[in-house]
Amino acid sequence: MTAIDTPSTKNVGITRLRKEDAHLITGQTNWTDNLQLTGMLHVALVRSPMAHAKVTSVDVSAALDQPGVVAAFTGADLADNWAAGLPCAWPVTPDMVSPTHLPIATDEVRYVGDAVAVVVAQSKYQAADAVEFVEVEYEPLPAVVNMEAAIADGSPLADTTLETNKSFTWQKIDGEIDDAFDGAAHITTRRFVNQRLIPTAIEPRSVVCSPPREHAEYTMWSTTQVPHILRLMLALTCGVPEQELRVIAPDVGGGFGSKLNVYAEEALLLVLARKLRKPVKWTETRSEGYQATCHGRDQVQDLSIAFNEDHTIRGLKVELLADMGAYLQLVTPGVPILGAFMFNSIYKMDALSFTCHGIFTNKTPTDAYRGAGRPEATYGIERLIDEAANELGVEPFELREKNWIKHEEFPYTTIAGIEYDSGNYEAATARAKELFDYDGLRAEQVERRASGDPVQLGIGISTFTEMCGLAPSRVLGSLSYGAGGWEHASVRMLPSGKAEVVTGTSPHGQGHVTSWSQIASDALGVPYEDIEVRHGDTAIAHKGMDTYGSRSLVVGGYAVQVACDKVIAKARKVAAHLLEAAEDDLEFDGGTFSVKGSPDVSTTIQDISLAVFAAHDYPEDMEPSLDSDATVDPENFSYPHGTHLCATEVDTETGEVTIRKYVAVDDIGKVINPQIVEGQIHGGLAQGIAQALWEEAVYDEQGNLKTGSLLDYYVPSAADMPHFDLDRTETPATTNPLGVKGVGEAGTIASTPAVINAVVDALRPMGVNDVLMPASPSNVWNAIQAASAGNTDGGAA
Amino acid sequence: MTKVEITVDGTSTEHEVEPRLLLVHYLRDVLGRTGTNVGCDTSNCGACTIHMDGQSVKSCTVLAVQADGSTVDTVEGLADPVEGEAGWHPLQRAFHEEHGLQCGYCTPGMIMASKGLIEDNPNPSEKEIRDGLEGNLCRCTGYQNIVKAVQSAAAEMRGDTKVEVEV
């Protein structure tokens, strides 16, 4: 970044109430499902009720006779419409096995929910009715539902067109791993299960596609986090020229990774709009979405950690089975391999071996879910450190402190080969312990253990870090990802002195309009109220890499800052010209350029905007425009960290777990809007705690999703959630001009191991060394019973 | 088809509807009043919460024909859009000020459920608010700021001097 001036800070760092709220709290919203276009038709899909079967016949003729039905198509009818299958943009290995994924299956279905036909009708009720009249004959095939069974000799195949159930094995070995383990004084080995989750954004997915009208372009509105990626990928999948497709992400009601994809229904609606020349709409029901919208997590982790006599870590071995589900969606295989950089977490070690096997099963595909690979890794290492501390007979904090990177050691290149630019684990931990009353609660725990209280107190620690700001393009290239990690912004100065900021990020609850206004207001010296932020429409924000991976502020906010700096650099030239001064003699503060030492000789950004618009008098060596673009490619990831502490009350007679206290001290670098940051952490905590205590996508042996609706998949309510005590420490990021690190996923990544460590800590005197997630009363009770029978691993092995 | 007469946000409406039409679809698809959202198909999420004859109900669980003759109030009737921020209901203001929403999809239902809660219990404790909103799911906020917003709005609706709410 070019240092021009340091404008006075008026907005960055303070809470500004959100610009986004007014329309959302009054019901004047713009959700995709709100759209009603003239002549619009409604789409419903016929989905497989079987996890794995040959499709021997699909007959839509009776459906076509139903009232209001305009068209109905089988997979075979549409097979010629796809230029390619649905995309996987992350071929992690050259020999990765990836089945062709057509939006509508033709002769084999591979999970419950795989679409086999589509009905188009005048109303959504008519379309839903007609689905019942599509006759499909299936010839059942064995369902593959368990990863270990899937790779055992003689397993049936999840996809009969493939020769294996293994998509890939991806390996990265840093340091001398054999030496690290051969000479170890102590080795702790564990298997942890990171269960399958259903993201459950409260807005169901919805897609509307309109055929060309005034422009020769299709317009698609979709509940997507990634309108730019979607546009390119749909062009490739459906053979529509990219310039003839406009994608709009209007108000989008949460995503959490589940809307970071290119879905069958998006491709299908584009093809239907092309075939029928009518606007078409599809909105999932929640139960349909539970089958057809990507799931998250689903890993089995085999971990070993080797220590020296003095309890310093020698090395870590990680071997993962990662469930891909039936197909590879946009970034499915890339999610677990992010763990290769995160299992070592905040700890120093001499060797790290990471192996990940991607496995196909007859289940809904997995893909990014809040944290995407990093929560799984953090869970594994933070659980493992607690287990090792127990085996070594030391306090879990003591083992962490002995091994973590000291604040004076930053920047620090980890064993995984990435450079952590800044951090202070000591400071965050000290603050967390103080807020939590760590010593007081430990003393109470001792008393209650001694008294044999049937409700035991457990204390859980999570000292986490994560890699955010996805991502340096060269790193993505080295990991075989199909695109870069840059972000784009542009700033348009209007003649009236107001500004439009256009961003390539695509918010769906994160408050970018507010935060980007704060950044731009300070950088341009234009009042916060005079800035409009535009996003989420490829015709307006033509270029972007969208929103996921806690990247928006770190990369997209950075781009806004740089674009604003370019505007000011141009304005400075004009100011110098108008004031008849040298550029170097000008000061810029709060929107005003003035001559050093002569503050009365000045002009404002607003006056300059108007002067440039009139263009009667401007410097000869520039165009009459202040408008500027910036495309920034981050030089590094950012590395937020923090210390989370959780106290649980565990009823040893019923297995019921209650969170008594939760403290989160996060270091996310500089903060733009403290209230928005707090909200991001609250929400992240809720999702991470939900994984620990309540949520799990359960399949039966035939591959039926047993948690197929919100009746059976337990998304916690306000009544379940504890109060959170938050604080922050601040070590600015050194690799972007804002000093920001990202906050979208921190709470989720940190909280799951904090809670489970607390549950296990409560039960440790009973011999329990693990509890399967979710730590439901039955899983906790089973762990207690198993321990009393001599099995201490909670049932994971 | 059956004729229904329903007063929605103060305006009388009259349409011929299928007996199976859900009230929320009557609001959204027949009337085009899309302020009320649908988030599930099992009455768990509460995104569609409205008031019917003064009672907070989930409009995905009521048929339009059951609402015949009723008065229905939705989030869209809480404030006159023409008046802007000045006309906001205390709950709308509190959700804004306390950052009780992120994506905003659950918000119309959350606000209407909170309104019913405060009407039943003008001075709810944190626990009473959490229990009272059990039927409304939010995936973004972790609920803490929603609780704060409801406490703040309840104080304002009782006429208490505005105090900093700590939950």
Side-chain angles (χ1 to χ4, degrees):
Chain A
M1 170 200 175
T2 323
I4 296 171
D5 276 312
T6 308
S8 65
T9 298
K10 297 195 183 67
N11 287 281
V12 168
I14 63 167
T15 289
R16 282 283 197 177
L17 297 182
R18 294 203 320 167
K19 291 183 172 184
E20 289 87 343
D21 290 353
H23 76 293
L24 297 171
I25 58 179
T26 53
Q28 308 298 310
T29 48
N30 194 24
W31 311 112
T32 301
D33 186 61
N34 291 3
L35 280 172
Q36 298 207 40
L37 304 177
T38 305
M40 188 167 79
L41 301 173
H42 296 262
V43 175
L45 286 97
V46 182
R47 296 185 183 278
S48 170
M50 317 200 83
H52 196 195
K54 285 279 173 209
V55 180
T56 52
S57 89
V58 184
D59 182 357
V60 297
S61 54
L64 284 166
D65 293 338
Q66 296 308 304
V69 172
V70 174
F73 302 104
T74 67
D77 294 338
L78 296 176
D80 292 342
N81 286 268
W82 317 118
L86 291 167
C88 172
W90 205 331
V92 291
T93 60
D95 60 350
M96 181 181 84
V97 175
S98 183
T100 303
H101 185 188
L102 295 182
I104 306 288
T106 50
D107 39 33
E108 184 173 334
V109 286
R110 301 181 179 94
Y111 67 98
V112 170
D114 213 354
V116 291
V118 57
V119 173
V120 185
Q122 285 171 339
S123 82
K124 67 183 172 194
Y125 281 40
Q126 288 170 333
D129 287 346
V131 160
E132 303 299 322
F133 290 85
V134 174
E135 288 176 21
V136 188
E137 285 178 21
Y138 299 97
E139 189 180 291
L141 292 166
V144 176
V145 293
N146 175 284
M147 286 193 280
E148 284 189 294
I151 51 173
D153 286 345
S155 168
L157 293 165
D159 180 333
T160 61
T161 67
L162 306 178
E163 290 170 355
T164 174
N165 288 326
K166 188 184 280 187
S167 175
F168 62 89
T169 292
W170 191 93
Q171 192 167 56
K172 182 172 186 285
I173 296 173
D174 298 294
E176 299 300 323
I177 193 71
D178 291 339
D179 292 351
F181 277 77
D182 287 346
H186 182 82
I187 295 171
T188 295
T189 299
R190 288 287 187 280
R191 164 168 282 204
F192 296 125
V193 179
N194 211 282
Q195 82 273 31
R196 179 178 276 249
L197 301 176
I198 306 181
T200 320
I202 299 294
E203 181 199 25
R205 281 196 300 123
S206 179
V207 187
V208 172
C209 190
S210 169
R213 292 274 163 90
E214 58 182 312
H215 297 289
E217 69 179 9
Y218 294 89
T219 306
M220 175 172 291
W221 294 260
S222 182
T223 53
T224 183
Q225 297 172 226
V226 291
H228 299 93
I229 295 173
L230 185 60
R231 181 194 196 196
L232 171 61
M233 291 300 176
L234 285 181
L236 299 175
T237 304
C238 302
V240 171
E242 191 181 352
Q243 78 280 9
E244 292 178 16
L245 176 60
R246 172 185 183 184
V247 176
I248 299 173
D251 285 339
V252 176
F256 315 110
S258 71
K259 294 173 181 170
L260 188 197
N261 229 306
V262 177
Y263 278 108
E265 297 82 3
E266 290 164 325
L268 176 64
L269 264 72
L270 179 54
V271 159
L272 291 174
R274 184 166 65 187
K275 282 182 90 74
L276 303 172
R277 293 279 145 184
K278 293 271 191 191
V280 284
K281 178 185 194 173
W282 167 82
T283 300
E284 70 182 8
T285 65
R286 177 63 59 186
S287 306
E288 182 182 22
Y290 270 17
Q291 297 176 357
T293 297
C294 287
H295 295 177
R297 316 277 192 262
D298 208 345
Q299 279 186 9
V300 176
Q301 310 174 330
D302 284 306
L303 311 177
S304 291
I305 189 165
F307 291 90
N308 286 310
E309 205 61 64
D310 67 355
H311 298 168
T312 51
I313 300 170
R314 295 171 63 92
L316 174 66
K317 284 185 194 168
V318 176
E319 183 146 8
L320 305 182
L321 296 179
D323 195 336
M324 306 286 100
Y327 299 99
L328 303 182
Q329 287 270 358
L330 190 64
V331 297
T332 305
V335 168
I337 70 163
L338 288 174
F341 303 90
M342 284 283 102
F343 266 95
N344 54 302
S345 187
I346 64 171
Y347 306 111
K348 295 180 280 189
M349 57 189 70
D350 299 326
L352 169 65
S353 143
F354 176 93
T355 308
C356 175
H357 309 284
I359 311 297
F360 291 119
T361 59
N362 294 114
K363 299 184 209 167
T364 296
T366 58
D367 208 310
Y369 172 51
R370 203 167 188 170
R374 293 156 292 162
E376 297 91 321
T378 303
Y379 181 78
I381 186 66
E382 287 302 289
R383 284 286 300 114
L384 190 64
I385 290 286
D386 259 32
E387 293 306 301
N390 181 54
E391 289 183 0
L392 294 167
V394 297
E395 224 273 337
F397 260 128
E398 188 187 320
L399 191 60
R400 286 175 167 83
E401 286 174 29
K402 183 171 286 282
N403 285 288
W404 72 37
I405 302 157
K406 308 286 181 286
H407 70 272
E408 64 271 17
E409 292 175 311
F410 288 92
Y412 182 90
T413 300
T414 71
I415 184 65
I418 52 178
E419 186 184 278
Y420 292 0
D421 62 320
S422 67
N424 190 332
Y425 309 139
E426 296 91 330
T429 298
R431 181 65 186 127
K433 283 170 105 168
E434 179 187 28
L435 259 181
F436 190 71
D437 185 21
Y438 186 79
D439 295 337
L441 284 167
R442 279 284 183 217
E444 180 186 331
Q445 183 182 45
V446 170
E447 280 170 31
R448 284 169 61 177
R449 283 182 177 178
S451 71
D453 190 336
V455 181
Q456 282 290 312
L457 176 65
I459 294 167
I461 299 164
S462 172
T463 49
F464 79 104
T465 191
E466 54 167 331
M467 54 203 284
C468 293
L470 271 54
S473 298
R474 65 186 159 75
V475 178
L476 292 178
S478 74
L479 294 173
S480 310
Y481 181 62
W486 47 263
E487 195 46 86
H488 178 262
S490 58
V491 175
R492 304 175 191 149
M493 288 306 302
L494 305 177
S496 58
K498 322 283 187 194
E500 288 177 330
V501 173
V502 182
T503 177
T505 65
S506 196
H508 37 283
Q510 296 89 342
H512 295 179
V513 170
T514 299
S515 300
W516 287 201
S517 293
Q518 291 180 258
I519 294 167
S521 175
D522 285 359
L524 298 171
V526 170
Y528 172 78
E529 296 75 15
D530 289 353
I531 293 168
E532 186 68 36
V533 176
R534 300 187 185 282
H535 60 80
D537 178 343
T538 59
I540 295 170
H542 69 285
K543 190 175 171 187
M545 276 293 178
D546 305 316
T547 288
Y548 45 88
S550 301
R551 72 184 303 274
S552 294
L553 176 60
V554 181
V555 194
Y558 179 1
V560 170
Q561 176 73 46
V562 173
C564 290
D565 291 344
K566 289 183 178 178
V567 168
I568 295 305
K570 291 180 189 174
R572 174 180 294 270
K573 266 175 133 30
V574 179
H577 178 79
L578 296 175
L579 297 174
E580 297 179 345
E583 280 185 56
D584 290 347
D585 288 340
L586 293 182
E587 288 177 327
F588 178 64
D589 185 32
T592 301
F593 289 95
S594 57
V595 176
K596 284 175 193 163
S598 308
D600 294 345
V601 185
S602 67
T603 184
T604 65
I605 184 76
Q606 287 83 4
D607 288 343
I608 295 167
S609 297
L610 184 59
V612 169
F613 168 73
H616 300 158
D617 183 18
Y618 61 95
E620 281 179 10
D621 61 345
M622 70 180 284
E623 297 173 15
S625 171
L626 300 178
D627 295 354
S628 297
D629 283 78
T631 303
V632 302
D633 195 357
E635 61 180 87
N636 192 355
F637 295 92
S638 58
Y639 303 95
H641 71 83
T643 298
H644 288 213
L645 293 170
C646 177
T648 54
E649 302 276 351
V650 182
D651 188 326
T652 60
E653 291 170 346
T654 66
E656 189 180 9
V657 175
T658 311
I659 293 180
R660 169 162 150 193
K661 190 166 197 173
Y662 197 100
V663 165
V665 175
D666 284 88
D667 188 334
I668 57 159
K670 289 281 187 188
V671 162
I672 306 299
N673 184 320
Q675 188 185 54
I676 288 177
V677 160
E678 205 170 82
Q680 288 293 309
I681 293 175
H682 287 166
L685 292 175
Q687 280 176 1
I689 291 170
Q691 173 170 19
L693 294 182
W694 298 295
E695 295 184 20
E696 182 176 23
V698 181
Y699 282 84
D700 70 13
E701 288 177 3
Q702 283 73 47
N704 297 300
L705 178 62
K706 290 169 71 180
T707 51
S709 77
L710 270 169
L711 282 174
D712 298 307
Y713 186 85
Y714 194 83
V715 170
S717 76
D720 301 304
M721 268 307 146
H723 172 86
F724 312 119
D725 293 307
L726 308 189
D727 203 356
R728 286 188 288 106
T729 52
E730 190 173 296
T731 51
T734 63
T735 54
N736 67 70
L738 296 166
V740 296
K741 297 185 176 180
V743 69
E745 294 155 303
T748 309
I749 289 170
S751 58
T752 312
V755 174
I756 296 298
N757 278 341
V759 173
V760 173
D761 184 58
L763 300 175
R764 194 78 80 180
M766 309 179 82
V768 172
N769 287 336
D770 198 18
V771 171
L772 283 177
M773 294 195 288
S776 59
S778 69
N779 278 346
V780 172
W781 195 84
N782 284 336
I784 294 169
Q785 301 311 305
S788 67
N791 301 318
T792 60
D793 63 8
Chain B
M1 302 289 265
T2 308
K3 194 173 97 172
V4 294
E5 294 181 32
I6 307 173
T7 302
V8 179
D9 294 326
T11 304
S12 56
T13 69
E14 193 181 310
H15 285 274
E16 295 279 338
V17 301
E18 281 189 78
R20 63 174 174 167
L21 183 74
L22 299 177
L23 177 56
V24 69
H25 291 149
Y26 179 76
L27 295 172
R28 290 181 57 82
D29 302 336
V30 178
L31 302 183
R33 296 185 72 81
T34 50
T36 302
N37 300 327
V38 180
C40 75
D41 46 11
T42 48
S43 297
N44 288 85
C45 83
C48 64
T49 306
I50 51 126
H51 286 206
M52 191 165 107
D53 297 327
Q55 290 293 311
S56 146
V57 297
K58 293 179 177 176
S59 60
C60 74
T61 319
V62 180
L63 298 168
V65 292
Q66 290 175 291
D68 185 26
S70 293
T71 296
V72 163
D73 295 301
T74 79
V75 74
E76 289 181 71
L78 280 186
D80 183 347
V82 177
E83 284 181 40
E85 215 167 307
W88 284 356
H89 186 277
L91 272 162
Q92 292 172 315
R93 198 155 47 244
F95 269 70
H96 176 54
E97 289 175 356
E98 302 296 348
H99 191 29
L101 68 152
Q102 290 178 29
C103 82
Y105 197 82
C106 75
T107 309
M110 204 59 89
I111 286 178
M112 295 310 288
S114 301
K115 183 166 180 279
L117 173 80
I118 294 172
E119 282 163 3
D120 290 344
N121 178 1
N123 191 8
S125 67
E126 178 187 346
K127 183 169 184 341
E128 285 168 338
I129 293 169
R130 286 182 180 275
D131 289 347
L133 295 179
E134 197 175 9
N136 290 74
L137 299 178
C138 168
R139 199 60 159 164
C140 295
T141 65
Y143 302 105
Q144 190 147 317
N145 289 344
I146 290 176
V147 174
K148 235 168 142 176
V150 175
Q151 285 192 320
S152 161
E156 187 181 338
M157 288 160 75
R158 287 194 307 272
D160 289 6
T161 335
K162 197 161 162 55
V163 282
E164 271 300 303
V165 186
E166 272 303 322
V167 289

